[in-house]
Amino acid sequence: MNVIETHQITKSYGKNDVVKGITLDVKRGEVFGFLGKNGAGKSTFINTLTGIIHPTSGEYFLFGEKGTHDKVKQRIGVMPDYVTFYSSLSPIRHLRLLSALSGKPVTKSQCMDTLKKVGLEKHANKKTSKFSFGMKKKLGIALAIIHDPELIFLDEPTSGLDAESVIMIQKLIQQLQSCGKTIFMTSHNLDEVEKICTRMAIMKEGEIVQIGTIDELRAYYRSTITVKVKHSAIPVDEKTNLYQWLDSTGTDLESADNHFTMCVSSEKKIADIIRALNIIKVDILRVEVEEPSLEEMFLEA
């Protein structure tokens, strides 16, 4: 089942088209990564889906319901890219106030359980005026999940956090997914996206330029594969012919006594190389294949 479904969503401000005809779907239980450089239109798109702004054209569905009406809002949680708090209120007061306003009041015990999930249980009664940027970020996540939503929007959930807190939030996202929640998140931490997202979309200048799993994106962006082979000694009478054949099979061949590196156009070429070495009775000690990282794909987009 698609929890999110959009059809040609656009958002314009005057003559400036910020979001340009986005069509995508997000299935139940996915952690969907939404990538793009600053100014690509990611936050505008999220604000459209969460009902903060209205699209200029196109339509979208959450849980099969058109638009973001009050009934749908009770099923979603949102942590925007920038969160403000009442400086005189504690995290518990914030959680209880927001829950009451949303029509789903919670107990103090539920608040403490949620604060524990984000690592703020020891600061439950401290005024947020004393909070660091990272602590406010954690409270923003707590506010997004306090009412046990089915769909959670997280805009840069780990930016500005220390390494220990980043790991904690990543584990929390994975736990939420294991409980059947659907997560739609933006992030500039590409290692994080590659680690926890089931699928991702890359946005550039208001448009989706590619969408899929990490393996699907790699296949799309990969023009050559770098292969490194460590091997036993090559018979002297075979060396010249082997290197000539390797040079015709791929590009950028670099060789030494017991290893060589080259670029090939497909994985089948790697199998051909292994077969050729076996024919001349050269032992293959190790084969390493370098694939494009998510960062390389992101920058290329």
Side-chain angles (χ1 to χ4, degrees):
M1 173 186 173
N2 291 333
V3 175
I4 301 174
E5 194 172 316
T6 76
H7 302 282
Q8 292 297 313
I9 292 292
T10 66
K11 182 61 184 178
S12 303
Y13 294 96
K15 296 182 179 181
N16 184 22
D17 297 328
V18 181
V19 175
K20 305 173 184 176
I22 291 184
T23 296
L24 59 77
D25 60 76
V26 178
K27 296 174 177 56
R28 184 179 298 278
E30 280 197 292
V31 178
F32 191 90
F34 201 53
L35 312 181
K37 299 174 183 177
N38 289 336
K42 303 186 303 298
S43 294
T44 300
F45 182 66
I46 287 180
N47 288 342
T48 300
L49 295 184
T50 55
I52 297 174
I53 60 177
H54 296 291
T56 302
S57 63
E59 60 182 5
Y60 66 95
F61 300 84
L62 303 181
F63 310 103
E65 304 264 356
K66 187 174 181 179
T68 314
H69 51 74
D70 289 343
K71 183 179 177 182
V72 167
K73 286 181 179 179
Q74 292 185 351
R75 301 173 68 182
I76 68 174
V78 183
M79 189 207 80
D81 58 341
Y82 183 75
V83 187
T84 58
F85 302 101
Y86 296 104
S87 60
S88 61
L89 296 186
S90 66
I92 281 189
R93 291 288 303 278
H94 274 95
L95 292 173
R96 300 199 73 172
L97 175 62
L98 178 70
S99 299
L101 291 174
S102 68
K104 296 180 70 174
V106 294
T107 65
K108 182 177 180 180
S109 176
Q110 288 174 303
C111 291
M112 289 302 298
D113 286 343
T114 301
L115 292 174
K116 186 176 182 179
K117 289 179 181 178
V118 299
L120 286 179
E121 69 273 21
K122 294 181 181 179
H123 308 281
N125 295 301
K126 182 185 294 186
K127 291 182 179 180
T128 56
S129 60
K130 306 291 185 181
F131 275 25
S132 66
F133 175 82
M135 293 168 71
K136 290 179 180 178
K137 178 76 73 170
K138 291 178 181 179
L139 180 54
I141 296 172
L143 288 167
I145 66 175
I146 181 63
H147 58 294
D148 194 29
E150 299 169 57
L151 170 62
I152 306 166
F153 293 91
L154 301 175
D155 203 346
E156 298 290 341
T158 61
S159 67
L161 300 183
D162 59 83
E164 183 178 355
S165 296
V166 167
I167 293 172
M168 175 186 292
I169 297 304
Q170 289 174 352
K171 288 182 177 179
L172 173 59
I173 291 172
Q174 291 172 321
Q175 289 169 1
L176 290 168
Q177 181 193 21
S178 69
C179 293
K181 311 298 184 185
T182 305
I183 317 293
F184 189 100
M185 61 178 282
T186 70
S187 177
H188 280 96
N189 184 339
L190 301 184
D191 289 336
E192 170 179 85
V193 172
E194 189 166 0
K195 182 192 303 181
I196 67 176
C197 291
T198 49
R199 283 196 305 147
M200 59 204 73
I202 299 178
M203 189 177 192
K204 182 178 182 181
E205 297 178 354
E207 298 178 291
I208 299 296
V209 295
Q210 195 54 234
I211 185 170
T213 65
I214 184 64
D215 289 338
E216 289 169 342
L217 294 185
R218 279 201 180 104
Y220 176 82
Y221 284 103
R222 181 173 57 200
S223 57
T224 59
I225 305 169
T226 300
V227 57
K228 299 179 180 179
V229 180
K230 184 176 181 181
H231 54 77
S232 63
I234 300 171
V236 176
D237 57 341
E238 299 283 1
K239 187 171 291 188
T240 300
N241 288 337
L242 175 66
Y243 286 152
Q244 287 178 346
W245 180 82
L246 289 173
D247 205 34
S248 67
T249 300
T251 60
D252 302 322
L253 174 64
E254 296 181 6
S255 61
D257 288 340
N258 65 344
H259 68 271
F260 62 83
T261 301
M262 61 186 294
C263 295
V264 295
S265 58
S266 69
E267 292 181 341
K268 181 181 180 301
K269 298 287 187 182
I270 300 175
D272 292 340
I273 292 169
I274 294 172
R275 193 176 300 112
L277 292 173
N278 286 333
I279 289 172
I280 61 175
K281 300 189 185 314
V282 173
D283 293 329
I284 299 169
L285 307 179
R286 184 169 67 240
V287 177
E288 297 178 8
V289 178
E290 290 186 359
E291 297 182 297
S293 66
L294 184 58
E295 183 176 10
E296 290 170 327
M297 293 186 285
F298 178 79
L299 291 174
E300 185 175 333

